[in-house]
Amino acid sequence: MAESNVRVRFAPSPTGPLHIGGVRTALYNYLFARQHGGKLIFRIEDTDSNRFVPGAEEYILDSFKWLGITFDEGVSFGGEHGPYRQSERREIYKKYVNQLLEAGKAYIAFDTPEELEAKRNEIQNFQYDAHTRQQMRNSLTMQKEEVDKLIEDGLQYVVRFKIEPGEEIHVNDMIRGDVCIKSDILDDKVLYKSADELPTYHLANIVDDHLMEISHVIRGEEWLPSAPLHVLLYRAFGWEDSMPRFAHLPLLLKPEGKGKLSKRDGDRLGFPVFPMEWHDPKTGEVSSGYRESGYFPEAVVNFLALLGWNPGTEQELFTLEELVKAFDITKCSKSGAKFDYQKGIWFNHEYILRKSDEEIAQLFAPIVANNGIEATMDQIRQVVHMMKDRVSFVKELWDLCSFFFIAPTTYDGKTVKKRWKEYSAQQMTELADVLEGIDDFSVEGQEPVVMKWVEDKGYKLGDIMNAFRLTLVGIGKGPGMFDISAFLGKEETLRRMHKAIEVLG
Ligand code: GLU
């Protein structure tokens, strides 16, 4: 296949918010399309009207906009293979259902849910297939006239795929290699329902992949069991020659233990499983999202890219462009990828470090303002510069940085006990005098003067710095002391020192 003919698709069903695993699927499709100079198509698979959730489609599109994953064709993007919403393609599917019926590769079945239930009770592990279809009410067991009459009378029916037993079906998977199953284990899947005049997922999926000239189907492992049926459908239509290559991605597993990652794991351990916050239109329930939790889209993309694939080197930090170059679908793992959400937090921290102080300051400024502080952008930038290496999220900055803007009124008891000696008040009074005499209050201006004073006096540097910190910060933590005093300026520094001396004595 020529590289430029690569056409892949992301085809969600709008049944709710997009799960983080779906985001990874879309990302891998995106990387694959971009690295081959191909096209990425956004298709909405909404033939199951019972599961339709309003707002889901918009949510999915907004999520990708936020993440920077772009599409070339599809719902909301346009293109020559539309419409891209399956509910708008009814007539197209009907034509293909008829094609299978006429070729004898599918048949009409009238069995009611009750009749099917009765059969299930009668036969253990009942499956509608070559062994049982002769006992059922379908166009294989009834006269053509009778079938036509029932349809004319408006009786509801389904169209089932007639799967021939005794065949070996090979799915050539780019990740898993040759996956072979016997057709006997498959049932005669429903392809179409007269009740809503819509095809089921399987038929619509295959017809659309064909008509949209999809070259590679990259999707979650949960669709692997459907793949043999899909191969058979391609054959039944006579489309083997243009059958896409498959790649079934590894499952995302719980952070600990076995099993598939679920929303409940996220609730239990406190991490989002959705890209953005989701407000359930029915229940009103709100589920947290990566965006609202303060993750950078780049961090989420980087984190997800490495869940199920790795470059085979030590490199962990990748821009989207770097991922496009490095990604290799054939190097994806076959076994599930543990969803290590702590690693996601680590990625966000790394991205904070890599972003400019200016960019982080822009995000931090509204938080500062919300806390009733009037600060200049320059001050905020300075604080960010001193503190950003200590946090994983911008929202964590305030707790660590509020002392820059708000003088302490209380002093941490433990620190006082440990750091405020009987001579500290005296030493701090002297230090305040020394600082008073410094004109250049920058770090470079203060440091040598204070150091010399400590040395001349024969004081212990630790005693001085610990007490100094307590007076300015109120606790025993923070960045370098002269960074703090330089930021505060002489006046505020001295004010805080005198206050502490007064309170702590
Ligand atoms: N509509 C399916 C989904 O929701 C698409 C599966 C596929 O990619 O074939 O994931």
Side-chain angles (χ1 to χ4, degrees), residues 116-338:
L116 288 169
E117 186 54 35
K119 263 291 179 232
R120 272 187 216 109
N121 292 335
E122 178 192 324
I123 305 174
Q124 227 187 352
N125 300 326
F126 169 78
Q127 173 165 289
Y128 209 122
D129 62 15
H131 300 285
T132 57
R133 61 171 82 111
Q134 293 303 329
Q135 311 167 25
M136 310 299 289
R137 288 213 311 141
N138 55 49
S139 57
L140 302 172
T141 58
M142 296 156 79
Q143 294 299 321
K144 182 166 185 321
E145 296 69 38
E146 198 185 342
V147 171
D148 290 346
K149 169 109 191 10
L150 289 178
I151 293 176
E152 220 165 275
D153 289 350
L155 201 69
Q156 300 298 1
Y157 62 91
V158 299
V159 175
R160 287 184 181 270
F161 192 30
K162 190 164 170 247
I163 292 185
E164 305 300 348
E167 273 187 62
E168 277 197 345
I169 312 162
H170 293 269
V171 179
N172 189 343
D173 190 289
M174 290 190 284
I175 298 171
R176 290 152 209 279
D178 179 44
V179 180
C180 178
I181 70 135
K182 293 217 161 55
S183 63
D184 304 60
I185 67 164
L186 300 177
D187 66 332
D188 289 354
K189 272 273 169 331
V190 172
L191 301 178
Y192 179 85
K193 295 182 277 88
S194 69
D196 52 10
E197 293 185 83
L198 276 170
T200 57
Y201 154 73
H202 300 289
L203 184 100
N205 188 266
I206 295 314
V207 167
D208 285 351
D209 280 352
H210 176 72
L211 295 178
M212 295 177 188
E213 299 178 72
I214 298 303
S215 62
H216 298 77
V217 166
I218 301 170
R219 61 185 172 188
E221 182 178 323
E222 62 272 31
W223 301 101
L224 184 58
S226 303
L229 172 70
H230 294 177
V231 168
L232 287 183
L233 275 168
Y234 270 98
R235 266 197 231 159
F237 281 119
W239 297 334
E240 297 98 315
D241 290 347
S242 60
M243 184 154 72
R245 300 282 318 269
F246 290 98
H248 290 93
L249 305 175
L251 278 181
L252 294 186
L253 304 177
K254 293 180 186 307
E256 1 100 321
K258 282 186 237 142
K260 217 174 122 181
L261 174 73
S262 73
K263 176 165 148 37
R264 258 190 285 142
D265 299 313
D267 294 342
R268 189 167 50 87
L269 298 164
F271 62 88
V273 297
F274 301 122
M276 308 187 312
E277 200 168 85
W278 167 255
H279 297 249
D280 191 298
K282 267 205 217 99
T283 63
E285 189 197 350
V286 179
S287 305
S288 69
Y290 278 85
R291 184 177 70 177
E292 290 74 13
S293 301
Y295 285 83
F296 296 114
E298 306 94 305
V300 176
V301 163
N302 198 155
F303 168 50
L304 290 179
L306 293 170
L307 284 174
W309 167 80
N310 73 74
T313 65
E314 293 293 299
Q315 187 179 353
E316 291 189 286
L317 290 158
F318 290 88
T319 62
L320 200 51
E321 296 75 59
E322 288 171 328
L323 284 171
V324 168
K325 287 211 189 82
F327 182 68
D328 182 347
I329 190 92
T330 66
K331 300 266 161 64
C332 287
S333 68
K334 293 190 196 60
S335 51
K338 198 151 83 169

